[in-house]
Amino acid sequence: MDTRLTVLTAFPPAAGIDNEEYYQNSQQHAKRVRELIRDNAQWIRESADDILKHVNPAVYSLSYLMILEYLLQSPGWTSQQAHESLASYMAQFFLQFDARQIRCKGSTWSDVLKEAYNERGLFPASVAVELGTTALLRLDPSGSIITSHHCSLVELAYNTGNVGAILPLIEKPIIYMPAKGMSTAQPLCDMSLPPPAYINPDSQLTDALTSAAVLQYDFLCGLCFIERRMWQQAFDAFERCVTYPTRDGGCSKIMTEAYNKWILVGLLLTGKPPTLPETTSQAAKKIFATQGKPYKLFAQAFKSETTGDLVREFEVINSELLPNEGNVELAKLVLAHYQRWQIINLRNIYTNISLEKIQERTQSAETGAPLPTVEAVDQLVQSMIADGSLQGAIERPKDGSPAYLTFLSSPAQGMSEVEFSAQVNKVMQGIKALEPIIEATNKRLASNREYISHTVKRQFDAAREHKLGLQSTGGGFEESSFHIEEEEDLMSGLPAH
């Protein structure tokens, strides 16, 4: 064996050493590998295939990563054949790397990952998105912290029509945002650290994020979910945009665009106009009330028992707003779902109802009239039962009397004792999984100047009002000091709202 290969396989050390020693060994090893590459550049270039076949990326991740970084920068690896080999080795690495080692060399990992999804085109977009998603979930299996890589990958996925590959990543609930100065005194390779302690601009596993980048990420997530007709996830993504903390009197363009889509998706999801959460800033509410008024009127018309108002409001926004905001197809889908929600809401009145009566009592917003035949009603109801939007069954009496729809109880109401117990256990496991997140959040809030200032102010105000005999009206965290700054995002390192 070439003695130079022993340098590449000298790390990681045998088990049994503590995190501090592991981290120091990683830095010393990186220095030796860097010197090996500097002194043996020609050997690395000419024997790269043999070297990388010998160095297992799952075991010797740090060495493998540094060789990849050198080859990506090497002019000798610019041919098409070299690109194909390099792409193959990069794919093997991102599918297998040891996350503990990578924490010790964050800048190199980030640089190589960027090469996988940038415009250089080593991979087709579908493969780039899949590899990026896999890499980020290997680094942080919880997916609880947003990174600059998230933002780039979701944009690539949406723009190239590869939404399916990004779903495992964007379905993860974001709890944290990265910030400078969040690293702890503990070594980065300590596997008990919460994500913001090792994924931050200081570790260089992510670049710093602006509020605009975070808003764009949530907005693109919403668009991806719309494409897959995942209405609950799309609604939640747009709601995060709508309720994003802002400066006093501020509301960005992307927030108003998200508000309009949030209304349309809300109609599809619940069959009624959504209500703005209490966490929405007063400034944003005022802007939404004016700029989003046509959408609000359209949503109010959705509650009408006849289609006239809804169609008129659709024609208004279709002529003025929908084409420019990319909402034409989404609004047309709302029209198509109008009759479906009329049928679903009949369960509030009937236990069962004949298909003939459904034909009489519901209308299609696309035609402005009832469905032409009972057979058409039958087909629509069956399709709703099949896709899970309607809990019911069509009964066809043997005596030849008209078929009717029987509304069934929801799945939760019909659960057996075993199923109910399993559901309770699932909820308890979810609560238990939140414990380390809550603990990490409390530690960060305890050292956050804005939160401390807010808490002290609230306590002072409460004491003063108590002394005066007044009932405290309180004030949201946002109302006192929690505002977005473009250059310094005050949410950084804290839980995402």
Side-chain angles (χ1 to χ4, degrees):
M1 178 188 296
D2 192 315
T3 55
R4 290 170 292 191
L5 291 175
T6 60
V7 176
L8 299 175
T9 57
F11 184 86
I17 65 173
D18 61 26
N19 288 314
E20 182 63 40
E21 187 176 354
Y22 184 98
Y23 183 77
Q24 293 301 326
N25 284 354
S26 74
Q27 302 309 297
Q28 294 169 6
H29 178 72
K31 181 180 179 180
R32 286 194 291 270
V33 173
R34 192 160 47 247
E35 292 171 349
L36 175 70
I37 293 173
R38 181 196 62 200
D39 298 337
N40 299 273
Q42 184 176 352
W43 173 68
I44 296 290
R45 290 193 302 270
E46 294 176 353
S47 306
D49 287 322
D50 293 333
I51 294 170
L52 292 177
K53 288 176 182 176
H54 179 78
V55 178
N56 186 340
V59 180
Y60 309 111
S61 301
L62 193 52
S63 297
Y64 201 99
L65 174 64
M66 295 182 70
I67 295 294
L68 285 178
E69 179 191 39
Y70 171 72
L71 294 176
L72 284 165
Q73 300 170 352
S74 175
W77 277 69
T78 57
S79 67
Q80 181 64 32
Q81 182 177 358
H83 273 194
E84 292 176 359
S85 295
L86 192 53
S88 174
Y89 293 129
M90 288 174 67
Q92 292 180 47
F93 172 77
F94 285 119
L95 293 173
Q96 303 177 64
F97 69 84
D98 175 13
R100 190 185 187 196
Q101 293 182 46
I102 296 314
R103 294 187 186 187
C104 305
K105 197 65 175 170
S107 61
T108 304
W109 183 86
S110 280
D111 289 343
V112 174
L113 180 58
K114 289 175 184 176
E115 289 290 339
Y117 61 71
N118 68 10
E119 295 178 356
R120 182 171 174 174
L122 284 174
F123 297 99
S126 58
V127 177
V129 173
E130 187 171 354
L131 284 177
T133 295
T134 300
L136 288 171
L137 291 178
R138 285 189 71 83
L139 181 67
D140 171 27
S142 73
S144 60
I145 185 167
I146 184 175
T147 70
S148 53
H149 304 296
H150 283 68
C151 299
S152 298
L153 285 168
V154 74
E155 183 175 7
L156 177 64
Y158 180 72
N159 290 338
T160 59
N162 290 287
V163 170
I166 198 77
L167 287 180
L169 184 67
I170 64 176
E171 285 185 289
K172 296 284 188 179
I174 297 295
I175 307 297
Y176 300 108
M177 297 186 188
K180 293 182 179 180
M182 297 307 295
S183 297
T184 67
Q186 297 169 264
L188 294 176
C189 57
D190 184 344
M191 298 303 285
S192 68
L193 289 174
Y198 67 91
I199 300 178
N200 51 59
D202 295 327
S203 71
Q204 299 185 59
L205 286 168
T206 177
D207 297 332
L209 291 177
T210 64
S211 57
V214 176
L215 277 168
Q216 178 76 0
Y217 172 78
D218 279 329
F219 188 79
L220 287 172
C221 284
L223 295 181
C224 289
F225 290 132
I226 283 177
E227 188 172 305
R228 304 294 287 212
R229 300 202 172 192
M230 300 169 67
W231 304 126
Q232 183 65 64
Q233 293 88 337
F235 184 80
D236 293 342
F238 291 130
E239 189 167 282
R240 290 194 294 272
C241 294
V242 168
T243 58
Y244 201 88
T246 64
R247 296 172 185 264
D248 287 332
C251 180
S252 66
K253 183 174 182 290
I254 198 170
M255 290 174 68
T256 59
E257 292 180 355
Y259 173 77
N260 295 337
K261 293 182 186 295
W262 174 77
I263 286 180
L264 297 177
V265 172
L267 292 173
L268 292 168
L269 178 64
T270 65
K272 59 185 179 181
T275 302
L276 279 171
E278 291 297 324
T279 51
T280 311
S281 72
Q282 293 302 316
K285 286 180 180 178
K286 291 178 181 178
I287 293 174
F288 296 153
T290 54
Q291 296 188 16
K293 185 176 181 180
Y295 285 88
K296 188 69 174 178
L297 293 174
F298 177 68
Q300 292 296 333
F302 194 85
K303 298 188 297 182
S304 301
E305 294 185 2
T306 57
T307 62
D309 291 343
L310 183 64
V311 172
R312 279 192 295 273
E313 294 299 338
F314 172 78
E315 290 172 351
V316 170
I317 60 175
N318 192 36
S319 63
E320 299 176 2
L321 300 172
L322 295 180
N324 296 329
E325 298 176 357
N327 289 333
V328 174
E329 295 305 317
L330 192 59
K332 286 182 177 178
L333 196 58
V334 171
L335 291 181
H337 276 64
Y338 173 79
Q339 188 171 26
R340 296 167 69 95
W341 275 106
Q342 281 191 318
I343 295 172
I344 293 171
N345 290 333
L346 288 173
R347 72 181 304 129
N348 299 326
I349 305 172
Y350 299 98
T351 302
N352 51 61
I353 180 174
S354 70
L355 299 186
E356 291 178 346
K357 190 170 288 188
I358 291 176
Q359 183 187 18
E360 295 172 3
R361 298 203 56 171
T362 66
Q363 291 181 320
S364 166
E366 295 171 295
T367 64
L371 291 178
T373 64
V374 173
E375 288 72 21
V377 174
D378 194 323
Q379 292 177 2
L380 175 59
V381 171
Q382 286 194 63
S383 69
M384 293 172 64
I385 293 172
D387 65 24
S389 60
L390 176 64
Q391 301 297 320
I394 295 178
E395 307 288 348
R396 306 182 191 279
K398 295 181 180 180
D399 61 5
S401 55
Y404 59 91
L405 168 64
T406 296
F407 293 102
L408 303 178
S409 60
S410 65
Q413 292 174 314
M415 282 194 296
S416 66
E417 186 175 344
V418 173
E419 291 171 331
F420 181 76
S421 177
Q423 186 71 15
V424 170
N425 288 334
K426 183 179 179 180
V427 172
M428 293 301 295
Q429 290 172 4
I431 294 173
K432 189 173 182 180
L434 287 174
E435 290 178 358
I437 293 174
I438 294 171
E439 182 180 356
T441 299
N442 288 338
K443 289 180 180 178
R444 276 161 177 74
L445 285 175
S447 60
N448 182 271
R449 290 178 301 170
E450 301 296 334
Y451 181 76
I452 292 171
S453 173
H454 163 74
T455 303
V456 171
K457 182 178 183 298
R458 286 292 300 274
Q459 291 174 346
F460 177 80
D461 289 345
R464 182 182 60 187
E465 291 174 355
H466 177 73
K467 185 176 181 180
L468 295 174
L470 300 176
Q471 181 178 2
S472 174
T473 56
F477 185 43
E478 174 192 5
E479 294 173 30
S480 61
S481 60
F482 199 63
H483 307 291
I484 288 298
E485 300 291 345
E486 186 62 33
E487 297 302 324
E488 183 182 0
D489 192 340
L490 299 181
M491 290 185 70
S492 297
L494 297 178
H497 65 293

